[in-house]
Amino acid sequence: MVMLQRCILKKCLQQFYLGNQETTKSLLSAGFTPARLGGHRAAGHRSKSSVPDVRERTLIAVKPDGVQRRLVGQIIQRFEQRGFKLVGLKMLQASDDLLSQHYCELRTKPFYPRLLHYMTSGPVVAMVWEGHKVVQTSRTMVGHTNPVEAQAGTIRGDFSFHVSRNVVHASDSPEGAQREIQLWFQRKELLNWDCCDQTMTCEV
Ligand code: DAT
Ligand code: MG
């Protein structure tokens, strides 16, 4: 019996990591708890949506100036209000190593040493948001890289005035988002969960 259970559990984990929700569902109904199927699913809350666009994810980070200026709550509120789903959140002191990977395309830029100094000057609040076209929409919500060019109503347009202190990071493409999410978060730190307003915000 124990062998059989182990065998089913192994198969389930394989399917689970391959994203086969149906197998996981049937094993859940057979009495395997979400915790046994992989700790990163919130107990009792499994995300039903299988539409790829709806499950798009992006990395948003409140940079050290945003944290110091106590803007974290207002920034989170904008993404919540827009209807996106928070699936990962943590505060951390970013290391040089993490940032050099995160900003690998900017390593040769003259401002890079100052960027690194700024980004390590205090804690960062990193988040993963999920939803339909969340990458593109959040870039619009965040605004132009240079706050001088950012529209009023965007986060940078409302809270910042200089490119070297632009308050928030947002991934610039779905591929970039995937790369960045893997850099900043472990798989188990991201939760799949269903919002109670799921039919309004997720099943579009
Ligand atoms: P974004 O953050 O809008 O994706 P980016 O990826 O081109 O912009 O640059 C990353 C960060 O580097 C940016 O948010 C702020 C900083 N930065 C970019 N250009 C800069 C410049 N000319 N001087 C100082 N910092 C700059
Ligand atoms: Mg960028």
Side-chain angles (χ1 to χ4, degrees), residues 7-133:
C7 190
I8 294 171
L9 186 59
K10 191 173 163 197
K11 169 119 177 103
C12 170
L13 286 170
Q14 280 168 351
Q15 295 295 335
F16 179 73
Y17 285 109
L18 287 172
N20 184 332
Q21 297 194 341
E22 285 315 305
T23 305
T24 308
K25 200 179 190 171
S26 63
L27 283 156
L28 278 168
S29 63
F32 286 87
T33 62
R36 289 185 70 185
L37 299 180
H40 63 289
R41 283 188 177 234
H45 297 276
R46 296 175 55 251
S47 186
K48 289 186 198 105
S49 180
S50 56
V51 184
D53 265 2
V54 174
R55 299 291 309 275
E56 187 173 285
R57 289 178 171 184
T58 196
L59 179 82
I60 302 295
V62 184
K63 296 179 178 183
D65 54 329
V67 176
Q68 294 290 347
R69 292 172 56 202
R70 297 153 178 87
L71 297 174
V72 175
Q74 291 188 66
I75 292 169
I76 289 178
Q77 188 176 29
R78 289 185 178 218
F79 288 89
E80 285 191 327
Q81 274 178 339
R82 192 70 191 244
F84 292 126
K85 179 160 69 173
L86 185 62
V87 295
L89 173 75
K90 64 179 170 187
M91 182 181 236
L92 73 161
Q93 176 70 46
S95 66
D96 282 0
D97 185 42
L98 171 62
L99 291 165
S100 68
Q101 292 182 68
H102 178 77
Y103 285 130
C104 58
E105 288 164 6
L106 301 178
R107 274 183 214 165
T108 56
K109 299 283 185 192
F111 58 81
Y112 180 73
R114 271 177 286 129
L115 175 63
L116 222 58
H117 185 257
Y118 155 57
M119 288 297 293
T120 54
S121 66
V124 169
V125 173
M127 299 172 260
V128 178
W129 289 89
E130 183 180 288
H132 178 68
K133 300 278 185 195

Side-chain angles (χ1 to χ4, degrees), residues 147-163:
V148 175
E149 309 277 338
Q151 301 268 333
T154 63
I155 295 171
R156 286 169 173 166
D158 288 351
F159 298 127
S160 61
F161 63 90
H162 197 272
V163 69

